Amino acid sequence: MNAEELNGKRIAVLLSGGVDSSVVVYELARLGYHPDCFYIKIAPPDEEDEWDCTMEEDMEMASAVAHKYGCRLEVVDCQQEYFDRVTRYTMAKVRAGLTPNPDVMCNRLIKFGAFHEKRGKDYDLIATGHYAQKEIAPSNLPQLGEASTAPTPPLQSEGDGGRPWLCTAPDPVKDQTDFLAQLYDWQLEKAIFPIGHYVKDEVRQIAEREHLVSARRKDSQGICFLGKIDYNDYVRRYLGEKDGDVVEYRTGRVIGVHHGHWFHTIGQRKGLRLGGGPWFVVKKDVARNIVYVSHGYNPATVYHQHFLMHDFHSLNGVMPPDHEPLTIKIRHTPEWHAAWIEHTDVPGAFIVHTAQPLHGVAPGQFCVVYDAQHYRCYGSGEIGVN
C-alpha cells in the first residue's frame, strides 16, 4: 500500500479499539490520510449487559486513537443484522450437527456486508486490521480453467488491469486469509489491509513507538460475537440441553452421557469428562443424539485423507485447478497442508485429497484452498459429510 494507490479515494477504517486496527489508522495517517473510523456494534441485543464492560473499553481505545490522528469516529449498530445473519446461521449449523465458523460469515455478512449497506457504500475503500494482503494478478497468471506448475509469480499493485487476489500475510500464526475466503469479489475489491505485510511483533512495536493507547492490549480470543460469554453457555441459551449416549465407536459400548450433540465437534478431545482417556469424538448421530468416541492418542478414526468439499466460493472467479498441487487449511492454524482436488459432476463440489491424513476433518468447517506456495487464496468451500 502506498500513497499513490490511495490518491483521491474515500477511505473507511473499521476500528475495534484493538492494537491491529489502531495501527491501521496510524499507517494511513503517516501517508497523509485522515480516514473516517467506524466501530461496529454487534453485541447480541439480549446480551448487552454482559458486553457493557468490553464495549466500553473498546470505545475508549477507539476514541483515543481516532482523536490522536484527527479522525472522525462513528458507531454503526449492526446488532440485529448480526443476530439475523450470523447467529441464526451458527445455531442452525450446530443444531444440524455441523461445525460452523461464525467469524468467516461475520466478515462476509457484517464487516463487508451490513456495514457496507449502512455506511460503507459511501467509501471507495474499507480498511481493516486483518493479517492478509491483496494484490493484482499480472496478465500472464493462469485464469479460469487454466493451470500452471510453475512457481507463483510476484503479484503487482492496483492498476495493471488484472484481477484482485487475496494473499497470505508473512506471519503464519496471525494470517487471517482463511477468515476472509468467503468474501464476494466486490468486497475484496474494496478491502485494503494496511498491516497485512507486517508480523505481529512489528505491529506491537509500531504501537509502542507511537504511544498508542492500545499498544499492550491483549488480542481478542474466540468468536467475535461472544465477548466474555462462554461458547457452550451461549449455545445452551438457544438450543438447550438434551441428554444422549456417549458410545465407544469400536465396540458400540455406552460409556457416558452428554448433554446435547451440539456441544461436541469431530476431533474434539477436551471437555468429554470420560475416564481412562484420551478420548476423541469421531462421529455424531444427530437423529439419535449419539456422540461416538474413540480411545487412544492417535486413533485412525480421527484422521481423513479424502473428503468432500461442496459449495466452493471463488474469491475472484478463478477456480483451483484440477489434479494440480495445492495447499489447504481446514481450521485456523499456522499450517498449510499439501493437497490436490478432483472435480465432481456437481458444480462447486470437489473431492479433496491430502498428502498426509488430517486430524479432525469436521463437516461444516470451511476448507480453504491456496496455490502450492500457500500465497494466493482461491476461496473456500464447506466440508461435507463423507
Side-chain angles (χ1 to χ4, degrees):
M1 183 188 72
N2 57 57
E4 290 184 1
E5 295 173 23
L6 305 179
N7 187 34
K9 300 291 179 64
R10 298 165 297 172
I11 306 171
V13 174
L14 302 188
L15 182 57
S16 68
V19 64
D20 297 326
S21 59
S22 298
V23 173
V24 165
V25 180
Y26 159 76
E27 286 288 302
L28 293 168
R30 74 178 180 83
L31 294 175
Y33 290 87
H34 301 280
D36 290 338
C37 299
F38 296 89
Y39 177 87
I40 299 179
K41 187 178 181 181
I42 58 173
D46 58 344
E47 309 290 346
E48 282 194 78
D49 289 344
E50 298 184 56
W51 267 67
D52 282 346
C53 181
T54 301
M55 287 181 56
E56 183 178 339
E57 184 179 351
D58 288 344
M59 286 301 302
E60 288 178 358
M61 299 282 187
S63 296
V65 171
H67 177 75
K68 180 180 177 71
Y69 295 108
C71 300
R72 184 173 65 87
L73 176 65
E74 178 182 331
V75 177
V76 179
D77 188 341
C78 292
Q79 290 176 289
Q80 194 60 52
E81 289 84 359
Y82 195 100
F83 179 80
D84 291 341
R85 303 179 190 183
V86 181
T87 304
R88 288 185 186 276
Y89 152 84
T90 301
M91 295 306 157
K93 291 287 188 180
V94 170
R95 185 189 293 275
L98 304 175
T99 304
N101 190 323
D103 286 344
V104 170
M105 303 315 291
C106 179
N107 285 318
R108 177 179 184 169
L109 302 175
I110 305 300
K111 293 179 181 176
F112 293 96
F115 170 74
H116 181 270
E117 296 162 10
K118 293 192 171 191
R119 297 294 283 110
K121 61 180 177 292
D122 299 327
Y123 295 85
D124 301 305
L125 300 171
I126 298 175
T128 73
H130 286 103
Y131 285 83
Q133 301 184 85
K134 188 188 78 171
E135 297 180 351
I136 304 300
S139 57
N140 62 341
L141 274 180
Q143 298 300 316
L144 185 62
E146 299 178 9
S148 172
T149 57
T152 304
L155 300 185
Q156 300 172 359
S157 61
E158 197 91 39
D160 73 346
R163 65 181 74 201
W165 283 88
L166 179 67
C167 301
T168 53
D171 189 332
V173 174
K174 297 301 296 183
D175 177 75
Q176 293 173 307
T177 49
D178 51 325
F179 290 143
L180 297 163
Q182 282 281 311
L183 291 185
Y184 296 114
D185 53 359
W186 64 267
Q187 293 173 324
L188 181 59
E189 288 176 3
K190 291 191 69 167
I192 57 172
F193 311 110
I195 65 167
H197 59 294
Y198 291 127
V199 298
K200 183 71 179 195
D201 285 348
E202 292 174 318
V203 170
R204 289 280 185 195
Q205 291 168 11
I206 292 171
E208 293 271 9
R209 186 191 70 214
E210 299 302 318
H211 306 291
L212 299 182
V213 65
S214 56
R216 298 189 179 184
R217 196 177 188 194
K218 292 182 179 179
D219 290 348
S220 60
Q221 300 292 331
I223 297 170
C224 60
F225 70 82
L226 291 183
K228 297 181 180 180
I229 304 170
D230 179 76
Y231 176 72
N232 281 343
D233 287 343
Y234 196 80
V235 171
R236 188 175 291 108
R237 296 179 194 186
Y238 286 92
L239 303 184
E241 293 185 350
K242 183 179 180 181
D243 289 352
D245 291 335
V246 177
V247 175
E248 185 177 12
Y249 183 75
R250 183 176 61 85
T251 65
R253 181 170 58 98
V254 176
I255 60 173
V257 175
H258 64 83
H259 301 301
H261 69 79
W262 42 83
F263 296 115
H264 304 284
T265 186
I266 304 300
Q268 176 184 341
R269 174 181 172 185
K270 296 182 180 179
L272 295 174
R273 296 187 295 276
L274 299 172
W279 295 93
F280 296 85
V281 175
V282 297
K283 182 181 177 182
K284 296 194 292 185
D285 186 328
V286 174
R288 296 193 295 163
N289 194 32
I290 297 174
V291 172
Y292 291 92
V293 298
S294 184
H295 182 267
Y297 283 93
N298 290 290
T301 45
V302 179
Y303 289 82
H304 291 84
Q305 198 166 359
H306 314 282
F307 57 88
L308 174 68
M309 173 178 62
H310 60 85
D311 294 319
F312 184 83
H313 170 76
S314 170
L315 282 158
N316 61 7
V318 180
M319 298 295 280
D322 198 23
H323 292 81
E324 293 285 339
L326 297 166
T327 51
I328 65 166
K329 278 188 178 185
I330 60 168
R331 61 178 58 85
H332 186 60
T333 66
E335 293 83 27
W336 286 268
H337 305 284
W340 57 274
I341 64 171
E342 178 183 355
H343 288 246
T344 71
D345 294 334
V346 178
F350 306 90
I351 303 298
V352 179
H353 305 275
T354 60
Q356 300 294 330
L358 302 185
H359 176 271
V361 179
Q365 289 177 327
F366 286 105
C367 175
V368 189
V369 182
Y370 302 82
D371 64 12
Q373 291 76 38
H374 50 79
Y375 182 59
R376 293 187 295 154
C377 179
Y378 285 96
S380 66
E382 188 173 312
I383 295 173
V385 179
N386 287 328

